[in-house]
Amino acid sequence: MKKLLLFSACLFVGVIVYWAQQRWQTVPLALPKPPTEAVPTNTTLPWWEMQIENAVENKEWRLAADYTSRKAAYHRSVNELNQAETLDALSRQYADNDTDKLPLVSSAEPVASPSSYATLEAFVSAPTTAAAQPAKFEPVTGVYLGMLGADKRVGFNWKQIEPVYGRTHAMYLTYVGWRKVQTQTNSYFPVQQAENAKAMGGSLQIGWEPRYGLDDVQDDEYVRTFAKEAKASGIPVFLRYASEMNGAWVPWYGEPAKYIEKFRLIHKIMKEEAPNVVMVWSPNFMPRDSIHDYYPGDEYVDWIGYSLYATGGPQSAVNDKSGFLDSFRPLYDAYPGKPIMISESGVSHFNLVKNVSYERWAENQLGDLYAYLPRLYPRVKAITYFNFSKDRAVRSNMDTVYDLGENAFADRIYQRLIQSDLYLSEVKDNANTKESITYKPLAQASNLQGKRKLFTYVSMPFSEQPFAVSYSQAGKSLGVSHELPWEIEVDFSKLDRSQPITITAFNRSMEKIVEQQTQVPQ
């Protein structure tokens, strides 16, 4: 009897266990409750994956290999070594497919550097307010996005800019020769270009060039008609009258006093005839020693404009920080209170004379221009890219190629960075970004509460960039960024004010390049 009872009990337990196993196999286990604050979504990884897919489809093998290597490095950073190894092998396979063996100038992977060669500086977001007396069409926050559109894909058809580059631009650059008649519209002002820009909700930036010299600039029928036609366009017009006057390559160079006289004359006429015209005083960033000699005075200048180019590739000195971020400071500080536009900017990725590609250097320079520059210099309110095709560069006897579409690395980084909320697609009074923030050095901030954006300016030799930047406090991770400007969101209300933030830059092998501790402001 006892054996029968024991057998029955065992059978009962067995049935219960079997039923439970079957139920567990068909009903999902309940997931643990998510933390109070969800981990931010990594948007970089899906972007890389999309670029790899597009690159393979278009047989852009160097890009496919490089982005696959980045993805492998990411998996290595989170200790997913099998995935990393598989991706490394795939990256090598893509590289072997590359038949376009361009001579490349590329340095080795960044390694640990002396602090004098590689430095980190943290910046934090802060709410902003409009200037007390904003200039014409000066945005409260944000940067107007502009382009020339002379590249091989757009070919001056500005309607192609959005489908090609993935975002509507706010400003379209064109040039007008002095006393030139626009034959399409029988006008002095570029009416057709203005209508094209207006149809897209955009504005014009005009390089108005007194090609016959300053003596030919008079208060006459030509200038008055140009001004009236500008007003009739009904759109914002950023007028770069006689730009790059500090360069010997233009016929209006060399007579600063006469230049100032003529600039003031044009300002007077535009003020009388065309209130929608913004007077932009726009020297070249080089040579610098004579720039201020041509300045007409604050009351005659609405915006400051600079032509700002990165050419020549990385330099040879180990402590070289080629590019324009650090050298831009004196230009930025020279005219306080004025909004600044980068009225022309280009990054060379290919040297036609040497037949050498600087594609990775160019990628980093574009990162400096579109990720760093307007964050480090918040009065920069517009950037126009001089997108000029290789064929046109050859015909113009230029040494360098700026066309984004001629190089996959430049193309992708541009498309990625201009998606930021920082960039504006429409010129209007009191234009603003959704977040309405600006940035200041963390060391200069105070009373930080709540969630803020935190990014790090990484300055390295040869204008290189790390693979990732991490933030931690007392051994606890605050976040990791895998793309410029190395930005994360931090809740400062939850930080320990007595403990510094540790910022670490890594290369693709996840080796430390440089590390720095920054105190949390009280």
Side-chain angles (χ1 to χ4, degrees):
M1 185 65 180
K2 290 182 178 178
K3 289 182 178 180
L4 180 61
L5 289 174
L6 182 60
F7 174 79
S8 300
C10 291
L11 181 63
F12 177 76
V13 171
V15 169
I16 294 298
V17 171
Y18 177 80
W19 174 83
Q21 287 175 336
Q22 296 302 307
R23 178 173 176 82
W24 290 341
Q25 287 174 3
T26 56
V27 179
L29 291 173
L31 295 174
K33 291 183 179 180
T36 305
E37 291 188 46
V39 177
T41 303
N42 186 324
T43 61
T44 309
L45 199 58
W47 166 257
W48 288 341
E49 290 169 347
M50 183 171 66
Q51 301 320 304
I52 294 167
E53 182 179 340
N54 291 340
V56 170
E57 181 180 344
N58 296 321
K59 297 183 179 180
E60 297 169 317
W61 298 117
R62 283 201 308 281
L63 186 77
D66 192 83
Y67 274 63
T68 302
S69 171
R70 298 181 198 196
K71 190 177 175 184
Y74 170 80
H75 285 286
R76 193 176 299 112
S77 72
V78 294
N79 208 33
E80 296 173 349
L81 302 183
N82 289 337
Q83 293 95 318
E85 186 177 345
T86 300
L87 289 165
D88 280 332
L90 186 59
S91 175
R92 290 190 293 271
Q93 178 183 328
Y94 289 150
D96 289 341
N97 288 340
D98 181 27
T99 57
D100 182 15
K101 302 297 184 182
L102 283 174
L104 299 175
V105 173
S106 59
S107 55
E109 187 176 24
V111 296
S113 302
S115 58
S116 60
Y117 293 160
T119 58
L120 307 174
E121 184 177 8
F123 288 76
V124 66
S125 64
T128 191
T129 55
Q133 293 182 319
K136 285 184 183 180
F137 304 116
E138 178 183 358
V140 178
T141 60
V143 180
Y144 295 134
L145 196 57
M147 183 174 280
L148 171 64
D151 52 307
K152 68 175 183 179
R153 292 178 297 186
V154 171
F156 294 106
N157 181 5
W158 293 336
K159 292 180 181 179
Q160 290 300 312
I161 289 178
E162 181 178 3
V164 168
Y165 294 103
R167 179 140 190 199
T168 300
H169 286 50
M171 186 180 297
Y172 302 93
L173 172 59
T174 190
Y175 296 88
V176 175
W178 200 255
R179 301 195 185 281
K180 179 177 175 61
V181 175
Q182 309 295 314
T183 55
Q184 281 184 304
T185 52
N186 193 30
S187 61
Y188 295 136
F189 184 80
V191 172
Q192 185 62 61
Q193 288 93 325
E195 290 176 352
N196 294 341
K198 188 174 185 178
M200 295 179 290
S203 65
L204 274 188
Q205 185 204 142
I206 300 176
W208 198 19
E209 302 182 330
R211 52 186 173 167
Y212 304 120
L214 293 172
D215 288 335
D216 194 40
V217 178
Q218 303 292 331
D219 185 350
D220 57 14
E221 180 269 343
Y222 166 69
V223 176
R224 290 282 174 175
T225 301
F226 184 98
K228 291 172 182 176
E229 291 170 346
K231 178 183 178 181
S233 72
I235 63 172
V237 175
F238 293 84
L239 187 62
R240 287 170 61 211
Y241 164 74
S243 61
E244 301 187 358
M245 74 301 293
N246 58 315
W249 54 87
V250 297
W252 47 93
Y253 162 80
E255 298 180 279
K258 184 175 290 186
Y259 176 89
I260 289 172
E261 172 194 340
K262 300 300 184 179
F263 191 99
R264 291 176 176 178
L265 172 65
I266 298 300
H267 173 274
K268 171 181 176 293
I269 295 171
M270 295 301 157
K271 184 177 181 179
E272 294 170 354
E273 302 283 2
N276 58 317
V277 168
V278 179
M279 290 297 295
V280 182
W281 179 72
S282 187
N284 195 287
F285 78 116
M286 294 290 286
R288 296 182 195 164
D289 54 353
S290 63
I291 286 178
H292 191 70
D293 295 344
Y294 291 87
Y295 189 59
D298 286 350
E299 64 183 294
Y300 303 99
V301 174
D302 297 313
W303 285 54
I304 304 293
Y306 289 114
S307 297
L308 190 64
Y309 287 84
T311 62
Q315 306 303 305
S316 58
V318 69
N319 61 345
D320 165 62
K321 295 183 180 179
S322 56
F324 41 68
L325 279 180
D326 295 331
S327 61
F328 186 66
R329 173 58 64 183
L331 300 177
Y332 182 82
D333 290 341
Y335 306 99
K338 293 289 184 183
I340 295 173
M341 69 162 56
I342 307 304
S343 43
E344 284 183 27
S345 188
V347 173
S348 168
H349 56 76
F350 190 85
N351 187 293
L352 291 165
V353 176
K354 299 177 182 179
N355 192 37
V356 171
S357 172
Y358 306 123
E359 59 186 17
R360 292 302 306 281
W361 177 84
E363 181 185 25
N364 293 336
Q365 291 296 315
L366 284 162
D368 283 353
L369 180 60
Y370 285 94
Y372 276 148
L373 188 77
R375 288 177 170 88
L376 297 175
Y377 301 104
R379 286 192 357 261
V380 173
K381 302 287 188 174
I383 302 176
T384 295
Y385 192 79
F386 188 83
N387 215 12
F388 202 71
S389 73
K390 181 178 179 179
D391 287 344
R392 290 187 174 89
V394 170
R395 292 197 300 269
S396 302
N397 294 319
M398 295 170 59
D399 294 342
T400 53
V401 179
Y402 302 114
D403 187 348
L404 298 167
E406 300 275 1
N407 185 270
F409 288 90
D411 190 36
R412 299 311 198 279
I413 190 70
Y414 181 82
Q415 291 184 45
R416 179 63 168 168
L417 292 175
I418 65 172
Q419 301 307 316
S420 168
D421 177 60
L422 180 68
Y423 288 100
L424 302 169
S425 294
E426 182 183 5
V427 174
K428 60 182 180 180
D429 286 321
N430 299 314
N432 210 342
T433 62
K434 293 177 182 177
E435 294 182 310
S436 192
I437 57 174
T438 187
Y439 294 86
K440 62 175 61 177
L442 181 61
Q444 298 177 14
S446 61
N447 194 31
L448 294 175
Q449 299 294 328
K451 293 181 179 180
R452 302 289 185 98
K453 297 288 183 68
L454 182 68
F455 83 87
T456 296
Y457 170 39
V458 183
S459 180
M460 294 173 58
F462 313 113
S463 295
E464 289 178 335
Q465 294 293 344
F467 169 72
V469 173
S470 72
Y471 302 81
S472 62
Q473 187 182 56
K476 178 183 177 182
S477 175
L478 301 177
V480 181
S481 176
H482 293 85
E483 62 180 331
L484 283 161
W486 319 115
E487 187 171 68
I488 64 169
E489 187 174 72
V490 175
D491 190 340
F492 279 84
S493 302
K494 298 184 177 181
L495 294 186
D496 184 346
R497 306 281 168 163
S498 67
Q499 295 290 331
I501 295 175
T502 299
I503 305 172
T504 310
F506 298 90
N507 62 20
R508 290 194 197 187
S509 299
M510 296 312 295
E511 299 166 337
K512 290 182 183 180
I513 303 170
V514 61
E515 186 171 84
Q516 184 172 308
Q517 291 190 331
T518 302
Q519 195 62 45
V520 180
Q522 299 298 317

